[in-house]
Amino acid sequence: AEKTRNNAEIKYLLLGSGPEKERLMGLKSNLNLENVFFLDLVPKSAMPKIVKAVDVALVPLKKLDLFLGAIPSKIFENLAMKKTLLLGVDGEARELFINQGKAGLYFEPENEEELVNKINQLNNNRNELILFGENGRNYVQEFFNRNKIAKEFTNELVSLGIPKENITINELLEDRVVVLKQNYPDIKAYSGNALDIPSSEQFDVVFQSTVFTSILDKALKQQIANKMLELVKPNGIILWYDFVYDNPN
C-alpha cells in the first residue's frame, strides 16, 4: 500500500478481525496511508455486496512448505463472483487457479516487489480483470460446485451399498441444509452445532472432513472429538480426513 500510495485508483480493503489487525492499523497510522481501509466483521449475508465492490481478491500466505497444499476457502466465493485472483500461495492453489483455471495472477509469497508489479499490471490492464473473472467463475462452477461434489460423494456411498436413508449429515449453515434436503429428501440432516446431535443417534461410520483444522479453540476440538466417539457404535469406525499440520493461527 505504501508503494502504490500515489496512485489514487488503487485502494486496499481489509475486512474482519485477527491477531495482526491492531498492528496493521498502527502501521497504517504511522505511514499516514489513506489508501487502506479496515472494516469490522459483517454478517455472511452482507458479504456479496462487499465482494461486488472490489476488483481484485488478494489472497496471500506466508512462504512455508506446509502451505503448498493449502487452498484458502475465500478463493471460492470470490471466483464465483467473477473477481480476479491475486494469489500469493504456491503449490496446489497456484496450479489449480492460476495455471489451470487462468483466474488471475500469481506472485511469490512475501515478495513485496513482485506483488506491487502485479497490482500495477492489473490496474493498467483493466480488460484482464474481466477475462480472469470469467475464467474463474467457469472454473469453480465446473470443478468446485458444492452441489455437484455432494452428489458425486453421495452416489459413491450408494455404490458401496449404503442406502440413502441410512446417511445422516451435519451442516453448520442452514441454507446449505435446505439445498441438500431439496436434492436428497431421503437423507437425514442436522443443521447447526454438531454437539446438539441427540446422543440416541448411533452410526456404523462417523466421518469428518477438515473440521478440526478449521477450529482454533482446543476445548471445542475436544468436545467435538468426544461427540464423535459418542455417536459411533461400539463396533463402528471413525473416518478422519484432515491436514497434517494445525492451522498456524
Side-chain angles (χ1 to χ4, degrees), residues 152-165 167 187:
E152 291 174 350
F153 184 66
T154 302
N155 290 340
E156 185 67 24
L157 293 178
V158 172
S159 73
L160 295 174
I162 304 173
K164 289 183 179 179
E165 58 268 22
I167 300 173
I187 293 179

Side-chain angles (χ1 to χ4, degrees), residues 59-130:
V59 182
L61 288 179
K62 292 183 177 180
K63 191 176 182 180
L64 299 173
D65 287 346
L66 70 90
F67 288 139
L68 293 176
I71 301 179
S73 59
K74 68 186 71 175
I75 289 176
F76 300 105
E77 60 190 19
N78 280 281
L79 295 191
M81 292 189 66
K82 299 184 179 181
K83 297 303 171 180
T84 293
L85 185 63
L86 189 49
L87 184 68
V89 185
D90 206 350
E92 187 174 5
R94 179 186 182 185
E95 174 60 28
L96 289 173
F97 303 107
I98 304 301
N99 296 344
Q100 295 182 25
K102 311 296 183 187
L105 299 178
Y106 166 81
F107 67 94
E108 182 185 21
E110 302 185 41
N111 188 326
E112 183 178 325
E113 291 298 328
E114 189 172 0
L115 171 59
V116 171
N117 289 338
K118 295 299 172 64
I119 290 172
N120 287 325
Q121 176 183 333
L122 292 173
N123 186 58
N124 294 331
N125 298 275
R126 290 278 169 161
N127 288 335
E128 285 190 335
L129 298 178
I130 299 174

Side-chain angles (χ1 to χ4, degrees), residues 1-2 5 11-14 20-39:
E2 197 277 330
R5 68 189 306 163
K11 297 178 175 62
Y12 303 86
L13 176 64
L14 289 84
E20 291 293 310
K21 183 174 182 178
E22 186 174 341
R23 183 183 69 84
L24 292 175
M25 293 180 70
L27 187 60
K28 171 192 173 179
S29 178
N30 292 337
L31 294 174
N32 194 28
L33 296 175
E34 297 182 354
N35 58 348
V36 179
F37 302 88
F38 289 88
L39 293 181

Side-chain angles (χ1 to χ4, degrees), residues 205-216:
V205 179
V206 175
F207 170 61
Q208 75 84 15
S209 177
T210 63
V211 171
F212 286 80
T213 304
S214 304
I215 301 173
L216 303 184

Side-chain angles (χ1 to χ4, degrees), residues 214-244:
S214 304
I215 301 173
L216 303 184
D217 185 272
K218 291 184 178 180
L220 180 56
K221 286 184 178 182
Q222 186 62 61
Q223 287 180 308
I224 295 178
N226 290 342
K227 188 66 178 182
M228 292 175 68
L229 288 171
E230 178 184 304
L231 294 174
V232 70
K233 290 181 179 179
N235 294 322
I237 62 172
I238 290 176
L239 294 181
W240 192 287
Y241 177 80
D242 224 313
F243 292 97
V244 175

Side-chain angles (χ1 to χ4, degrees), residues 132-143:
F132 286 141
E134 291 290 343
N135 290 344
R137 166 72 181 189
N138 293 336
Y139 187 72
V140 295
Q141 179 66 27
E142 182 175 359
F143 296 105

